[in-house]
């Protein structure tokens, strides 16, 4: 009997959505920009995969494709690890709340919990 243990404040759900990012340096200037994809998301943050590595505390403006709409949110880098094929996986903590992301994640979680039979 599998039990679902979630140690994080916000449970994460796996998604594979395209996104673009603009990285801001300390002065708020655009240091780099590019495209990537999301690996998982919660109401509090997102794990992304990109060709570029990021520094701890870098601030990113993300634009995520959610349900045929581009949703913007700002976050900061909490870790960055090398992944396969020269990619980097970066954990980002949201610095603001975006209603669309919150409701998107809530709907995903409802679907997940139904599938997993969690009440």
């Amino acid at each position: 009997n599998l039990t679902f243990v979630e140690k994080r404040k916000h449970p994460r759900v796996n998604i594979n959505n395209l996104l673009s990012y603009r990285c801001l340096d300390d002065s708020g200037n655009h240091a780099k920009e590019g495209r990537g994809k999301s690996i998982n998301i919660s109401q509090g943050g997102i794990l992304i995969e990109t060709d570029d590595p990021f520094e701890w505390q870098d601030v990113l403006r993300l634009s995520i494709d959610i349900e045929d709409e581009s949703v913007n949110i700002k976050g900061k880098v909490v870790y960055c690890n090398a992944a396969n094929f020269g990619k980097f996986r970066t954990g980002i903590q949201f610095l603001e709340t975006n209603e669309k992301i919150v409701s998107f994640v809530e709907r995903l979680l409802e679907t997940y919990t139904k599938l997993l039979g969690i009440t």
Side-chain angles (χ1 to χ4, degrees):
N1 194 0
L2 286 176
T3 52
F4 185 73
V5 179
E6 181 53 74
K7 291 191 169 28
R8 297 172 191 268
K9 187 166 145 208
H10 298 291
R12 296 190 165 228
V13 283
N14 294 331
I15 58 170
N16 184 2
N17 296 39
L18 293 175
L19 55 88
S20 58
Y21 61 84
R22 289 193 318 222
C23 184
L24 310 176
D25 64 16
D26 297 341
S27 332
N29 300 317
H30 288 162
K32 57 186 160 195
E33 52 187 77
R35 300 186 71 77
K37 66 174 187 171
S38 55
I39 306 296
N40 63 42
I41 192 168
S42 75
Q43 288 175 9
I46 190 169
L47 177 64
I48 66 170
E49 187 174 271
T50 58
D51 293 327
D52 279 321
F54 298 99
E55 300 293 321
W56 183 67
Q57 300 288 54
D58 273 354
V59 172
L60 300 184
R61 283 214 154 276
L62 296 173
S63 176
I64 309 162
D65 294 340
I66 289 178
E67 294 162 350
D68 301 330
E69 195 177 340
S70 204
V71 179
N72 295 295
I73 194 158
K74 189 169 155 190
K76 76 171 180 204
V77 172
V78 284
Y79 65 85
C80 180
N81 298 324
N84 294 338
F85 310 114
K87 304 271 189 197
F88 293 89
R89 287 195 168 189
T90 304
I92 293 166
Q93 178 185 355
F94 295 143
L95 291 173
E96 55 193 23
T97 303
N98 179 301
E99 288 309 313
K100 287 209 177 75
I101 287 180
V102 168
S103 60
F104 172 67
V105 172
E106 277 175 354
R107 287 198 304 278
L108 284 176
L109 283 170
E110 278 172 20
T111 309
Y112 259 52
T113 49
K114 284 194 185 97
L115 286 173
L116 295 172
I118 301 165
T119 49

